[in-house]
Amino acid sequence: MFPMTAILTKEHNFFAPFGVLEIEVRKKIESQLKIFQFQKKQIIHRAGFTPTGLFIINKGKVKIYKISDSSREIIIHIAGEGEMVGYSALMRHSEYHFWAETIEKTEMSFLPKKNFFECIENNPHFSVSLMKLFACQFDAVMDKMVDILSDQVRKRTAKTLLWLMETHGLDEDLKTIKITLSRNDLAHLVATNTETLVRTLTELSKDKVIELKRKKIVIMNLEELNRIAHFYR
């Protein structure tokens, strides 16, 4: 079995709730986990389905997205190692509101619903930590909605690239964003169409703010990218 204790105890912005548990409790959770392997572009869960447990990413990346009434895909978040997938619907005892799909080969652990709620009932501080996390993610979604309504595509693109850099890190050169996204997925994350996204990336490349290497994006001028993200009108 994948050594989940390492994941359950590591410092991670989106996986902090398990850090409040005693090591014995984390070991018990580890014994209840099931490991699943997913291929690229494989659906983890669909909107409208009822969750049967909690998914935790061991390795790989998963996009969380909504499909609008006009069949347009809007990516809300790209989840990485250590993050939980679908826990808000699980806590609300409701159906999934979003879709979750892998964007690369991904290994996930699955904690059955019964074991998840046993953990909450026996560890009130864990429940409080989950609520704090939910509130933070809700704020992030609201911020994204405001950006979509008020920011130009160039500014949203810069903000998205900075977020990807901060969330998923950089390669060894300390310039290349450590995630591979198709232009289609990146456009859905920025909340624009692919043609506009490609045009915006090309403009940023001509301005020597970024460099495009196939599906990889290299940050060439971080100061200017920050300026566009925060001060561009």
Side-chain angles (χ1 to χ4, degrees):
M1 177 179 282
F2 186 87
M4 273 301 299
T5 302
I7 290 291
L8 296 175
T9 56
K10 75 178 291 185
E11 291 294 329
H12 194 289
N13 290 338
F14 288 90
F15 211 63
F18 283 92
V20 303
L21 298 173
E22 298 292 333
I23 187 65
E24 292 78 12
V25 178
R26 292 196 291 264
K27 287 181 178 180
K28 180 180 179 181
I29 294 173
E30 180 182 359
S31 69
Q32 298 166 338
L33 295 172
K34 299 176 182 178
I35 307 298
F36 292 97
Q37 305 290 338
F38 294 91
Q39 297 302 309
K40 182 179 179 180
K41 294 187 177 181
Q42 191 167 351
I43 300 294
I44 306 300
H45 65 68
R46 292 174 168 80
F49 280 57
T50 302
T52 58
L54 175 71
F55 284 100
I56 305 164
I57 302 174
N58 298 341
K59 292 180 287 187
K61 292 180 175 60
V62 174
K63 65 177 180 180
I64 312 298
Y65 61 97
K66 187 90 171 173
I67 298 179
S68 69
D69 293 338
S70 59
S71 299
R72 179 184 175 189
E73 181 181 306
I74 300 174
I75 297 179
I76 306 299
H77 180 58
I78 303 290
E81 179 183 322
E83 293 190 49
M84 298 178 290
V85 175
Y87 80 97
S88 59
L90 187 62
M91 288 188 68
R92 293 194 309 266
H93 298 278
S94 68
E95 298 175 342
Y96 291 118
H97 288 180
F98 303 102
W99 292 65
E101 178 183 336
T102 59
I103 60 173
E104 62 186 45
K105 282 188 176 181
T106 300
E107 179 182 276
M108 303 187 79
S109 291
F110 178 79
L111 182 65
K113 184 176 181 178
K114 176 177 178 290
N115 301 127
F116 176 73
F117 281 106
E118 281 179 355
C119 183
I120 288 178
E121 290 168 7
N122 297 328
N123 303 275
H125 50 306
F126 175 62
S127 179
V128 171
S129 189
L130 280 173
M131 287 191 292
K132 289 180 179 178
L133 176 60
F134 180 79
C136 288
Q137 291 192 333
F138 178 81
D139 288 346
V141 171
M142 290 301 100
D143 288 343
K144 184 178 179 69
M145 294 303 103
V146 171
D147 287 347
I148 290 172
L149 292 171
S150 61
D151 289 345
Q152 295 184 24
V153 174
R154 184 179 175 90
K155 186 171 184 176
R156 293 206 306 271
T157 302
K159 283 185 175 180
T160 300
L161 294 179
L162 289 172
W163 176 82
L164 288 172
M165 181 184 72
E166 292 165 2
T167 305
H168 298 281
L170 298 170
D171 287 340
E172 292 181 358
D173 62 3
L174 301 180
K175 291 183 178 180
T176 306
I177 298 175
K178 202 172 186 178
I179 184 173
T180 302
L181 289 176
S182 68
R183 293 293 181 260
N184 198 40
D185 278 344
L186 185 55
H188 292 158
L189 188 58
V190 174
T192 188
N193 58 60
T194 305
E195 293 77 13
T196 301
L197 183 277
V198 170
R199 184 166 60 250
T200 303
L201 290 178
T202 301
E203 290 172 356
L204 290 172
S205 179
K206 287 180 178 177
D207 293 340
K208 301 189 183 304
V209 178
I210 64 171
E211 182 180 342
L212 303 174
K213 291 186 176 180
R214 296 187 179 180
K215 292 182 180 180
K216 286 284 193 177
I217 296 177
V218 183
I219 307 299
M220 302 302 293
N221 190 334
L222 182 57
E223 183 179 350
E224 179 61 13
L225 191 64
N226 267 299
R227 189 194 69 77
I228 295 170
H230 298 104
F231 302 107
Y232 182 78
R233 292 289 184 271

